[in-house]
Amino acid sequence: MLFYANIKTYPAVFRSFTGLDVPEFESLLAYFEKAWDELREEAADANKDRQRRGGGGAVPTTLRTHEDRLFFILVYLKLYPLQVVMGFLFGMSQGRANEWISRLGTVLQKALGMAGALPARDPVSAKRQFEASTVREFIIDGTERKTQRPSENERQKTYYSGKKKAHTLKNDLVVDTGSYTVAYLSPTVPGKTHDKVLADQCALEFPPNSVLFQDTGFQGYAPSGAIVMQPKKKPRGKELTVAEKIINRVISKTRVIVEHVIAGVKRSRIVKDVFRNTRKGYDDTVMELACGLHNRRCRHRHA
């Protein structure tokens, strides 16, 4: 069985299993413990009228420590194995593994929020994030990830992406070029949704004189407060001028940052491989967790 105490002595292997170095894991562990305790207190308050004393039932034989609990959920997000495989690796049944994944995902989400690593999810919080940036230069881009083919015909049409030739989920991300972190993450929508349509629905506002880099998929998108920098398309039957080519090259060199950030987010294979979980809303939760883990890595390594 896998235990944190056994694998932490192999740093390269530990990073491959979790996506974090041991010091990064231990710094996140403090927030994880606090989040676990707070959620237990909230559950106790909600069930204060219960007649039996809390803590009854079978004694868990695995995941007894906070270290093993955090290690468990990070392994699941990073490697995204089948739940029956997770159960085998950690000495439990598939059903119990499913319960732990659900519970610990909530704890990790709260812990990353305490650490200030989660991206903003609404326009008001996003504007505060943008104002806190040291460079006030941002990049917006969309990203898709495959999901299982829906069984209903209408959902199949909605989730089918002609670009990817597969059924996908889509998010727009706004990246802070100063910190290489995800400042804002849009709601998760079906892959058929156009990048600009989703951006318009988010109704973001930027601080005055902010610079926003975007690709031609956001043609016509001009949010409040932002100076938009977008490559110019080659006119049909004509050529771009030398100056226009130079400007396009400069914009592209800056925009490549967002590709690096998305690659960092998708180090968590749960948002890279075909998404299999059917729990309602979990497709959005795991994307937020993956962005939070990426932000935590960036801030810890570039502190």
mmCIF file of all heavy atoms in Angstrom, residues 62-94:
data_model
loop_
_atom_site.group_PDB
_atom_site.id
_atom_site.type_symbol
_atom_site.label_atom_id
_atom_site.label_comp_id
_atom_site.label_asym_id
_atom_site.label_seq_id
_atom_site.Cartn_x
_atom_site.Cartn_y
_atom_site.Cartn_z
ATOM 1 N N THR A 62 -7.135 2.808 6.889
ATOM 2 C CA THR A 62 -6.201 3.579 6.066
ATOM 3 C C THR A 62 -6.559 5.052 6.147
ATOM 4 O O THR A 62 -7.622 5.433 6.629
ATOM 5 C CB THR A 62 -6.250 3.119 4.602
ATOM 6 O OG1 THR A 62 -7.592 3.251 4.121
ATOM 7 C CG2 THR A 62 -5.812 1.674 4.457
ATOM 8 N N LEU A 63 -5.647 5.895 5.643
ATOM 9 C CA LEU A 63 -5.827 7.352 5.643
ATOM 10 C C LEU A 63 -6.143 7.874 7.038
ATOM 11 O O LEU A 63 -7.041 8.697 7.234
ATOM 12 C CB LEU A 63 -6.923 7.756 4.656
ATOM 13 C CG LEU A 63 -6.796 7.268 3.216
ATOM 14 C CD1 LEU A 63 -7.854 7.911 2.342
ATOM 15 C CD2 LEU A 63 -5.412 7.537 2.651
ATOM 16 N N ARG A 64 -5.372 7.409 8.011
ATOM 17 C CA ARG A 64 -5.598 7.855 9.389
ATOM 18 C C ARG A 64 -4.979 9.207 9.672
ATOM 19 O O ARG A 64 -5.385 9.896 10.605
ATOM 20 C CB ARG A 64 -5.022 6.825 10.361
ATOM 21 C CG ARG A 64 -5.754 5.495 10.369
ATOM 22 C CD ARG A 64 -5.213 4.590 11.464
ATOM 23 N NE ARG A 64 -5.962 3.338 11.546
ATOM 24 C CZ ARG A 64 -5.740 2.402 12.461
ATOM 25 N NH1 ARG A 64 -4.776 2.574 13.351
ATOM 26 N NH2 ARG A 64 -6.461 1.304 12.465
ATOM 27 N N THR A 65 -3.975 9.597 8.888
ATOM 28 C CA THR A 65 -3.279 10.858 9.142
ATOM 29 C C THR A 65 -3.613 11.873 8.056
ATOM 30 O O THR A 65 -4.012 11.518 6.938
ATOM 31 C CB THR A 65 -1.759 10.642 9.170
ATOM 32 O OG1 THR A 65 -1.317 10.255 7.860
ATOM 33 C CG2 THR A 65 -1.380 9.563 10.182
ATOM 34 N N HIS A 66 -3.416 13.158 8.379
ATOM 35 C CA HIS A 66 -3.640 14.203 7.395
ATOM 36 C C HIS A 66 -2.672 14.072 6.216
ATOM 37 O O HIS A 66 -3.027 14.370 5.075
ATOM 38 C CB HIS A 66 -3.473 15.585 8.047
ATOM 39 C CG HIS A 66 -4.561 15.920 9.018
ATOM 40 N ND1 HIS A 66 -5.892 15.926 8.664
ATOM 41 C CD2 HIS A 66 -4.517 16.269 10.337
ATOM 42 C CE1 HIS A 66 -6.624 16.271 9.712
ATOM 43 N NE2 HIS A 66 -5.815 16.471 10.736
ATOM 44 N N GLU A 67 -1.454 13.628 6.500
ATOM 45 C CA GLU A 67 -0.475 13.462 5.427
ATOM 46 C C GLU A 67 -0.960 12.453 4.395
ATOM 47 O O GLU A 67 -0.884 12.702 3.186
ATOM 48 C CB GLU A 67 0.872 13.003 6.004
ATOM 49 C CG GLU A 67 1.602 14.049 6.810
ATOM 50 C CD GLU A 67 1.177 14.046 8.272
ATOM 51 O OE1 GLU A 67 0.151 13.386 8.592
ATOM 52 O OE2 GLU A 67 1.863 14.688 9.085
ATOM 53 N N ASP A 68 -1.473 11.297 4.873
ATOM 54 C CA ASP A 68 -1.947 10.278 3.945
ATOM 55 C C ASP A 68 -3.205 10.728 3.218
ATOM 56 O O ASP A 68 -3.419 10.383 2.047
ATOM 57 C CB ASP A 68 -2.218 8.969 4.698
ATOM 58 C CG ASP A 68 -0.932 8.240 5.068
ATOM 59 O OD1 ASP A 68 0.067 8.407 4.349
ATOM 60 O OD2 ASP A 68 -0.924 7.522 6.079
ATOM 61 N N ARG A 69 -4.057 11.531 3.862
ATOM 62 C CA ARG A 69 -5.271 12.022 3.195
ATOM 63 C C ARG A 69 -4.922 12.988 2.075
ATOM 64 O O ARG A 69 -5.470 12.897 0.967
ATOM 65 C CB ARG A 69 -6.181 12.693 4.225
ATOM 66 C CG ARG A 69 -6.774 11.735 5.238
ATOM 67 C CD ARG A 69 -7.362 12.454 6.424
ATOM 68 N NE ARG A 69 -7.748 11.516 7.465
ATOM 69 C CZ ARG A 69 -7.831 11.815 8.755
ATOM 70 N NH1 ARG A 69 -7.554 13.047 9.166
ATOM 71 N NH2 ARG A 69 -8.192 10.905 9.636
ATOM 72 N N LEU A 70 -4.025 13.926 2.356
ATOM 73 C CA LEU A 70 -3.623 14.875 1.314
ATOM 74 C C LEU A 70 -2.890 14.148 0.190
ATOM 75 O O LEU A 70 -3.107 14.434 -1.001
ATOM 76 C CB LEU A 70 -2.744 15.967 1.916
ATOM 77 C CG LEU A 70 -2.205 17.020 0.935
ATOM 78 C CD1 LEU A 70 -3.331 17.700 0.176
ATOM 79 C CD2 LEU A 70 -1.357 18.053 1.680
ATOM 80 N N PHE A 71 -2.037 13.194 0.548
ATOM 81 C CA PHE A 71 -1.316 12.408 -0.448
ATOM 82 C C PHE A 71 -2.293 11.651 -1.346
ATOM 83 O O PHE A 71 -2.137 11.603 -2.568
ATOM 84 C CB PHE A 71 -0.361 11.443 0.255
ATOM 85 C CG PHE A 71 0.429 10.565 -0.665
ATOM 86 C CD1 PHE A 71 1.334 11.111 -1.558
ATOM 87 C CD2 PHE A 71 0.272 9.187 -0.638
ATOM 88 C CE1 PHE A 71 2.069 10.292 -2.413
ATOM 89 C CE2 PHE A 71 1.000 8.371 -1.483
ATOM 90 C CZ PHE A 71 1.899 8.934 -2.373
ATOM 91 N N PHE A 72 -3.332 11.096 -0.758
ATOM 92 C CA PHE A 72 -4.338 10.322 -1.497
ATOM 93 C C PHE A 72 -5.019 11.179 -2.566
ATOM 94 O O PHE A 72 -5.070 10.793 -3.737
ATOM 95 C CB PHE A 72 -5.376 9.776 -0.512
ATOM 96 C CG PHE A 72 -6.545 9.070 -1.153
ATOM 97 C CD1 PHE A 72 -6.498 7.702 -1.388
ATOM 98 C CD2 PHE A 72 -7.697 9.759 -1.511
ATOM 99 C CE1 PHE A 72 -7.579 7.035 -1.974
ATOM 100 C CE2 PHE A 72 -8.772 9.107 -2.096
ATOM 101 C CZ PHE A 72 -8.712 7.751 -2.326
ATOM 102 N N ILE A 73 -5.510 12.341 -2.196
ATOM 103 C CA ILE A 73 -6.265 13.157 -3.159
ATOM 104 C C ILE A 73 -5.338 13.748 -4.214
ATOM 105 O O ILE A 73 -5.716 13.898 -5.376
ATOM 106 C CB ILE A 73 -7.090 14.246 -2.433
ATOM 107 C CG1 ILE A 73 -8.060 14.917 -3.405
ATOM 108 C CG2 ILE A 73 -6.185 15.273 -1.769
ATOM 109 C CD1 ILE A 73 -9.093 13.985 -3.989
ATOM 110 N N LEU A 74 -4.095 14.057 -3.854
ATOM 111 C CA LEU A 74 -3.153 14.570 -4.853
ATOM 112 C C LEU A 74 -2.781 13.498 -5.863
ATOM 113 O O LEU A 74 -2.632 13.787 -7.055
ATOM 114 C CB LEU A 74 -1.898 15.106 -4.158
ATOM 115 C CG LEU A 74 -2.062 16.390 -3.342
ATOM 116 C CD1 LEU A 74 -0.749 16.779 -2.687
ATOM 117 C CD2 LEU A 74 -2.586 17.530 -4.208
ATOM 118 N N VAL A 75 -2.619 12.264 -5.416
ATOM 119 C CA VAL A 75 -2.331 11.164 -6.335
ATOM 120 C C VAL A 75 -3.489 10.989 -7.307
ATOM 121 O O VAL A 75 -3.288 10.794 -8.516
ATOM 122 C CB VAL A 75 -2.052 9.859 -5.565
ATOM 123 C CG1 VAL A 75 -2.033 8.657 -6.511
ATOM 124 C CG2 VAL A 75 -0.729 9.953 -4.820
ATOM 125 N N TYR A 76 -4.709 11.077 -6.803
ATOM 126 C CA TYR A 76 -5.874 10.911 -7.682
ATOM 127 C C TYR A 76 -5.927 12.007 -8.741
ATOM 128 O O TYR A 76 -6.143 11.730 -9.923
ATOM 129 C CB TYR A 76 -7.159 10.918 -6.854
ATOM 130 C CG TYR A 76 -8.411 10.769 -7.689
ATOM 131 C CD1 TYR A 76 -8.708 9.555 -8.302
ATOM 132 C CD2 TYR A 76 -9.289 11.835 -7.873
ATOM 133 C CE1 TYR A 76 -9.845 9.401 -9.084
ATOM 134 C CE2 TYR A 76 -10.427 11.696 -8.650
ATOM 135 C CZ TYR A 76 -10.700 10.471 -9.254
ATOM 136 O OH TYR A 76 -11.826 10.344 -10.037
ATOM 137 N N LEU A 77 -5.705 13.254 -8.342
ATOM 138 C CA LEU A 77 -5.765 14.361 -9.297
ATOM 139 C C LEU A 77 -4.613 14.318 -10.285
ATOM 140 O O LEU A 77 -4.774 14.641 -11.458
ATOM 141 C CB LEU A 77 -5.759 15.694 -8.545
ATOM 142 C CG LEU A 77 -6.955 15.974 -7.641
ATOM 143 C CD1 LEU A 77 -6.738 17.266 -6.860
ATOM 144 C CD2 LEU A 77 -8.248 16.059 -8.435
ATOM 145 N N LYS A 78 -3.439 13.943 -9.818
ATOM 146 C CA LYS A 78 -2.255 13.943 -10.688
ATOM 147 C C LYS A 78 -2.274 12.785 -11.674
ATOM 148 O O LYS A 78 -2.003 12.961 -12.871
ATOM 149 C CB LYS A 78 -0.990 13.864 -9.835
ATOM 150 C CG LYS A 78 0.318 13.781 -10.618
ATOM 151 C CD LYS A 78 0.575 15.030 -11.432
ATOM 152 C CE LYS A 78 1.980 15.061 -12.017
ATOM 153 N NZ LYS A 78 2.226 13.982 -12.984
ATOM 154 N N LEU A 79 -2.588 11.573 -11.220
ATOM 155 C CA LEU A 79 -2.497 10.390 -12.067
ATOM 156 C C LEU A 79 -3.833 9.989 -12.677
ATOM 157 O O LEU A 79 -3.860 9.348 -13.720
ATOM 158 C CB LEU A 79 -1.925 9.209 -11.273
ATOM 159 C CG LEU A 79 -0.557 9.438 -10.621
ATOM 160 C CD1 LEU A 79 -0.102 8.171 -9.904
ATOM 161 C CD2 LEU A 79 0.476 9.866 -11.643
ATOM 162 N N TYR A 80 -4.931 10.315 -12.027
ATOM 163 C CA TYR A 80 -6.292 10.002 -12.447
ATOM 164 C C TYR A 80 -6.464 8.528 -12.821
ATOM 165 O O TYR A 80 -6.905 8.200 -13.923
ATOM 166 C CB TYR A 80 -6.704 10.895 -13.616
ATOM 167 C CG TYR A 80 -8.199 10.910 -13.866
ATOM 168 C CD1 TYR A 80 -9.116 10.888 -12.809
ATOM 169 C CD2 TYR A 80 -8.703 10.945 -15.168
ATOM 170 C CE1 TYR A 80 -10.474 10.918 -13.043
ATOM 171 C CE2 TYR A 80 -10.060 10.980 -15.411
ATOM 172 C CZ TYR A 80 -10.945 10.963 -14.356
ATOM 173 O OH TYR A 80 -12.305 10.986 -14.590
ATOM 174 N N PRO A 81 -6.140 7.611 -11.892
ATOM 175 C CA PRO A 81 -6.373 6.192 -12.166
ATOM 176 C C PRO A 81 -7.857 5.851 -11.947
ATOM 177 O O PRO A 81 -8.622 6.659 -11.409
ATOM 178 C CB PRO A 81 -5.503 5.499 -11.123
ATOM 179 C CG PRO A 81 -5.501 6.456 -9.975
ATOM 180 C CD PRO A 81 -5.553 7.839 -10.567
ATOM 181 N N LEU A 82 -8.253 4.670 -12.342
ATOM 182 C CA LEU A 82 -9.593 4.192 -12.020
ATOM 183 C C LEU A 82 -9.741 4.100 -10.511
ATOM 184 O O LEU A 82 -8.768 3.856 -9.784
ATOM 185 C CB LEU A 82 -9.834 2.819 -12.653
ATOM 186 C CG LEU A 82 -9.828 2.751 -14.187
ATOM 187 C CD1 LEU A 82 -9.920 1.301 -14.638
ATOM 188 C CD2 LEU A 82 -10.954 3.572 -14.772
ATOM 189 N N GLN A 83 -10.959 4.291 -10.029
ATOM 190 C CA GLN A 83 -11.166 4.259 -8.586
ATOM 191 C C GLN A 83 -10.863 2.894 -7.988
ATOM 192 O O GLN A 83 -10.408 2.801 -6.846
ATOM 193 C CB GLN A 83 -12.599 4.689 -8.254
ATOM 194 C CG GLN A 83 -12.861 6.161 -8.536
ATOM 195 C CD GLN A 83 -14.251 6.603 -8.151
ATOM 196 O OE1 GLN A 83 -15.053 5.810 -7.657
ATOM 197 N NE2 GLN A 83 -14.557 7.862 -8.379
ATOM 198 N N VAL A 84 -11.069 1.836 -8.754
ATOM 199 C CA VAL A 84 -10.726 0.507 -8.250
ATOM 200 C C VAL A 84 -9.216 0.383 -8.081
ATOM 201 O O VAL A 84 -8.726 -0.288 -7.159
ATOM 202 C CB VAL A 84 -11.286 -0.588 -9.184
ATOM 203 C CG1 VAL A 84 -10.604 -0.559 -10.544
ATOM 204 C CG2 VAL A 84 -11.170 -1.959 -8.553
ATOM 205 N N VAL A 85 -8.455 1.055 -8.954
ATOM 206 C CA VAL A 85 -6.994 1.062 -8.820
ATOM 207 C C VAL A 85 -6.589 1.879 -7.596
ATOM 208 O O VAL A 85 -5.692 1.483 -6.837
ATOM 209 C CB VAL A 85 -6.345 1.624 -10.102
ATOM 210 C CG1 VAL A 85 -4.833 1.728 -9.938
ATOM 211 C CG2 VAL A 85 -6.685 0.751 -11.295
ATOM 212 N N MET A 86 -7.244 3.025 -7.390
ATOM 213 C CA MET A 86 -6.964 3.818 -6.186
ATOM 214 C C MET A 86 -7.223 2.999 -4.932
ATOM 215 O O MET A 86 -6.432 3.029 -3.976
ATOM 216 C CB MET A 86 -7.841 5.074 -6.170
ATOM 217 C CG MET A 86 -7.388 6.179 -7.098
ATOM 218 S SD MET A 86 -5.805 6.932 -6.616
ATOM 219 C CE MET A 86 -6.245 7.733 -5.070
ATOM 220 N N GLY A 87 -8.325 2.263 -4.932
ATOM 221 C CA GLY A 87 -8.624 1.424 -3.772
ATOM 222 C C GLY A 87 -7.559 0.372 -3.539
ATOM 223 O O GLY A 87 -7.139 0.136 -2.400
ATOM 224 N N PHE A 88 -7.081 -0.243 -4.608
ATOM 225 C CA PHE A 88 -6.044 -1.266 -4.482
ATOM 226 C C PHE A 88 -4.746 -0.660 -3.955
ATOM 227 O O PHE A 88 -4.078 -1.239 -3.090
ATOM 228 C CB PHE A 88 -5.813 -1.937 -5.836
ATOM 229 C CG PHE A 88 -4.767 -3.007 -5.802
ATOM 230 C CD1 PHE A 88 -5.076 -4.278 -5.356
ATOM 231 C CD2 PHE A 88 -3.462 -2.745 -6.206
ATOM 232 C CE1 PHE A 88 -4.101 -5.279 -5.323
ATOM 233 C CE2 PHE A 88 -2.490 -3.727 -6.176
ATOM 234 C CZ PHE A 88 -2.816 -5.001 -5.725
ATOM 235 N N LEU A 89 -4.369 0.516 -4.465
ATOM 236 C CA LEU A 89 -3.116 1.142 -4.056
ATOM 237 C C LEU A 89 -3.133 1.560 -2.594
ATOM 238 O O LEU A 89 -2.090 1.548 -1.928
ATOM 239 C CB LEU A 89 -2.833 2.369 -4.939
ATOM 240 C CG LEU A 89 -2.509 2.103 -6.414
ATOM 241 C CD1 LEU A 89 -2.365 3.413 -7.158
ATOM 242 C CD2 LEU A 89 -1.236 1.278 -6.539
ATOM 243 N N PHE A 90 -4.314 1.939 -2.095
ATOM 244 C CA PHE A 90 -4.395 2.459 -0.726
ATOM 245 C C PHE A 90 -5.118 1.503 0.225
ATOM 246 O O PHE A 90 -5.459 1.896 1.342
ATOM 247 C CB PHE A 90 -5.087 3.824 -0.729
ATOM 248 C CG PHE A 90 -4.225 4.923 -1.284
ATOM 249 C CD1 PHE A 90 -4.212 5.195 -2.635
ATOM 250 C CD2 PHE A 90 -3.404 5.674 -0.448
ATOM 251 C CE1 PHE A 90 -3.414 6.206 -3.160
ATOM 252 C CE2 PHE A 90 -2.601 6.680 -0.956
ATOM 253 C CZ PHE A 90 -2.602 6.949 -2.312
ATOM 254 N N GLY A 91 -5.332 0.267 -0.196
ATOM 255 C CA GLY A 91 -5.860 -0.747 0.700
ATOM 256 C C GLY A 91 -7.302 -0.547 1.103
ATOM 257 O O GLY A 91 -7.635 -0.629 2.291
ATOM 258 N N MET A 92 -8.176 -0.292 0.145
ATOM 259 C CA MET A 92 -9.601 -0.098 0.442
ATOM 260 C C MET A 92 -10.422 -0.535 -0.760
ATOM 261 O O MET A 92 -9.878 -0.806 -1.834
ATOM 262 C CB MET A 92 -9.885 1.367 0.774
ATOM 263 C CG MET A 92 -9.612 2.329 -0.371
ATOM 264 S SD MET A 92 -9.896 4.057 0.068
ATOM 265 C CE MET A 92 -8.458 4.398 1.084
ATOM 266 N N SER A 93 -11.727 -0.596 -0.586
ATOM 267 C CA SER A 93 -12.609 -0.967 -1.672
ATOM 268 C C SER A 93 -12.813 0.209 -2.618
ATOM 269 O O SER A 93 -12.504 1.357 -2.281
ATOM 270 C CB SER A 93 -13.969 -1.411 -1.121
ATOM 271 O OG SER A 93 -14.632 -0.303 -0.509
ATOM 272 N N GLN A 94 -13.367 -0.080 -3.802
ATOM 273 C CA GLN A 94 -13.655 0.978 -4.761
ATOM 274 C C GLN A 94 -14.690 1.951 -4.199
ATOM 275 O O GLN A 94 -14.584 3.161 -4.385
ATOM 276 C CB GLN A 94 -14.144 0.372 -6.080
ATOM 277 C CG GLN A 94 -14.442 1.392 -7.186
ATOM 278 C CD GLN A 94 -15.864 1.929 -7.139
ATOM 279 O OE1 GLN A 94 -16.778 1.233 -6.670
ATOM 280 N NE2 GLN A 94 -16.064 3.144 -7.592
#
